[in-house]
Amino acid sequence: MIHFNRPHMTGKETEYIRQAVLDGKISGNGEFTHRCQDYLAQRYGFGKCLLTTSGTDALEMAAILTGVGPGDEVIVPSYTFVSTALAFIRCGATVVFADSRADEPNLDAAQLEALVTPRTRVIVPVHYAGCACDMDAIQAVADRHGLLIVEDAAQAIDSFHVGAGGTRRALGSIGALGCFSFHETKNIISGEGGMLAINDPRLFRRAEIIWEKGTNRAEFFRGAVNKYGWVDIGSSFLPTEIVSAFLWAQLEHLDEIQAERKRLWQRYWDFLSGLDLPAHGISLPRIPAYATNNAHMFYLLFPDLARRSDFIAQMKARDILTVFHYLPLHSSEFYRARHDGRALPNCDRYADTLVRLPLYCGLAPDQDTVLAAIREVCGLAPRQAAEKGQRAASTALGGQ
Ligand SMILES: *Cc1c(COP(=O)(O)O)cnc(C)c1O
């Protein structure tokens, strides 16, 4: 059986967990937590980092920090994980769902401004597959209307946005807040786990208080105050040192993990782009010029639901697991009665046609089996014939 995902261990996880246990400090906000937070803040230029127990918790902290409540509107793509929307719903805000782009699953920035009303407070770009949203366009809308940006960068560790002047900024460092996940299906893992990046210094202090159950205990531990107490709302968002110790073992090997994932991604790309996918209406991921690829995911887009279902079934019959992804949130059982009725056709299309291929460290020996199966299941021939045709055509046109 070739799985869709397998958690990858770097080797030192149990050693660091053992160390945390022997140190006798296993609650949160200890040495391993600080190491992870400092490393990530420095490496990616985040203002301040706080580890959380999940990506969902990072989003919940972010939603609290934006201060939204009943009557406020938050723009969220419909093609995303439940937690992106749920965090804001729990604050009493109204979620206004945005459609995806026609050419890739990220939210369509060109349609964004039409969704802004006097009640809009926050935009939540989700960097799907670790591929940047059009942040210059989103930022322009946010600036014009005084909106906060909260990036759902759950899949986007080690990925960047390349701005107009060529400036590279890490995803999660662009909005006021950036939310990451270290769930075992992501590139860097701790089982369950996450992180909030706080980039607006005005939110630093409150973020720490919300993280520590509404108390100023973190300041107390730093010696900044001589007693701590209840100062705000909050919850227990911080992970145990056992989880942070695991995460540190992963972060020490971040570059190797990324290099291996990128090799696997590239192998998919090189092989599949040499086949006549277009003749079968199948397409490959598109990475815009302003985005980088962190090899979080490799997906195919089928022409319709029936052909995708058939593909998944036939791959499964060959013991290879490929999986579809999100169901549209705007038409979910929970939200459809509250949705404003707009059709979101691109979101619906990705929900029906996108399929993710196996991608994890350790896949290499089995990747050719996956590729051969895709070729066979889809009845793909090499692209040669089509290319020859194209070349002939371009020669006829003057041959660029
Ligand atoms: C994984 C994911 C989350 C949730 O993260 P958890 O750590 O599983 O809570 C949220 N948003 C997106 C886009 C994700 O991919």
Side-chain angles (χ1 to χ4, degrees):
M1 175 75 78
I2 298 177
H3 293 268
F4 164 65
N5 178 65
R6 303 198 85 149
H8 167 71
M9 307 299 158
T10 66
K12 287 217 173 145
E13 284 85 354
T14 45
E15 182 185 327
Y16 290 158
I17 288 170
R18 196 180 140 80
Q19 203 174 308
V21 171
L22 293 176
D23 285 351
K25 166 66 183 158
I26 54 169
S27 61
N29 198 9
E31 176 63 29
F32 281 110
T33 298
H34 293 162
R35 254 191 240 177
C36 295
Q37 291 176 171
D38 294 348
Y39 175 77
L40 289 164
Q42 243 228 314
R43 179 171 171 130
Y44 297 116
F46 303 131
K48 178 185 174 72
C49 291
L50 293 173
L51 294 190
T52 58
T53 46
S54 65
T56 300
D57 268 357
L59 284 158
E60 295 203 353
M61 278 189 71
I64 295 171
L65 279 163
T66 65
V68 295
D72 293 329
E73 293 175 1
V74 179
I75 301 173
V76 175
S78 182
Y79 193 69
T80 183
F81 190 59
V82 174
S83 303
T84 321
L86 185 54
F88 293 92
I89 294 289
R90 278 171 55 97
C91 292
T94 300
V95 166
V96 175
F97 283 112
D99 202 4
S100 298
R101 291 170 61 104
D103 58 358
E104 51 119 356
N106 276 329
L107 80 76
D108 188 352
Q111 293 187 44
L112 196 55
E113 198 142 28
L115 302 178
V116 175
T117 75
R119 298 175 160 214
T120 310
R121 297 281 172 270
V122 184
I123 305 172
V124 192
V126 177
H127 305 298
Y128 186 75
C131 174
C133 292
D134 186 351
M135 293 309 291
D136 285 341
I138 293 169
Q139 185 82 58
V141 174
D143 289 349
R144 272 199 292 281
H145 299 277
L147 311 177
L148 276 177
I149 295 177
V150 173
E151 296 175 74
D152 183 338
Q155 304 172 10
I157 189 92
D158 204 48
S159 199
F160 298 81
H161 176 264
V162 186
T167 35
R168 257 166 85 94
R169 286 189 293 171
L171 300 186
S173 76
I174 301 165
L177 298 159
C179 305
F180 289 87
S181 169
F182 303 119
H183 186 264
E184 75 170 32
T185 51
K186 306 301 202 278
N187 291 25
I188 300 295
I189 61 173
S190 63
E192 303 282 350
M195 181 183 75
L196 180 66
I198 307 111
N199 303 309
D200 183 339
R202 289 171 299 184
L203 299 174
F204 285 0
R205 178 162 187 268
R206 189 159 189 241
E208 212 172 55
I209 288 165
I210 288 166
W211 190 58
E212 273 277 25
K213 306 130 190 116
T215 75
N216 56 345
R217 182 155 75 171
E219 283 177 330
F220 172 71
F221 278 151
R222 275 203 304 275
V225 292
N226 57 16
K227 59 181 171 28
Y228 76 90
W230 186 10
V231 296
D232 202 336
I233 57 166
S235 189
S236 187
F237 285 118
L238 68 179
T240 147
E241 278 290 288
I242 294 173
V243 166
S244 303
F246 187 106
L247 182 62
W248 180 247
Q250 294 269 313
L251 291 177
E252 281 191 329
H253 293 270
L254 192 149
D255 287 322
E256 292 103 292
I257 291 170
Q258 287 301 95
E260 181 168 353
R261 294 187 73 101
K262 283 179 189 173
R263 278 196 297 276
L264 295 164
W265 199 100
Q266 197 61 43
R267 172 91 183 109
Y268 274 134
W269 179 270
D270 291 345
F271 184 89
L272 293 169
S273 56
L275 299 179
D276 63 346
L277 295 169
H280 295 255
I282 304 167
S283 48
L284 294 175
R286 177 182 169 273
I287 298 171
Y290 51 76
T292 64
N293 175 26
N294 74 342
H296 173 60
M297 184 193 296
F298 197 99
Y299 62 82
L300 298 175
L301 295 166
F302 278 82
D304 53 46
L305 176 60
R307 270 176 276 190
R308 183 188 70 180
S309 303
D310 183 58
F311 174 79
I312 292 173
Q314 289 203 52
M315 292 295 280
K316 186 149 187 245
R318 288 164 173 77
D319 275 341
I320 299 169
L321 300 184
T322 60
V323 288
F324 58 85
H325 213 180
Y326 304 127
L327 297 173
L329 295 182
H330 69 283
S331 52
S332 62
E333 180 183 325
F334 180 72
Y335 209 77
R336 66 179 166 236
R338 288 194 246 179
H339 177 61
D340 55 29
R342 279 172 302 118
L344 305 177
N346 292 328
C347 166
D348 290 347
R349 184 164 51 81
Y350 293 114
D352 281 351
T353 63
L354 186 147
V355 66
R356 296 174 290 161
L357 304 181
L359 179 55
Y360 52 84
C361 289
L363 173 68
D366 291 326
Q367 195 175 16
D368 283 353
T369 309
V370 178
L371 288 167
I374 294 171
R375 191 172 162 170
E376 189 184 298
V377 163
C378 300
L380 297 166
R383 210 163 176 162
Q384 234 166 349
E387 260 173 9
K388 266 183 203 146
Q390 248 171 27
R391 242 178 265 136
S394 74
T395 308
L397 289 168
Q400 304 91 341

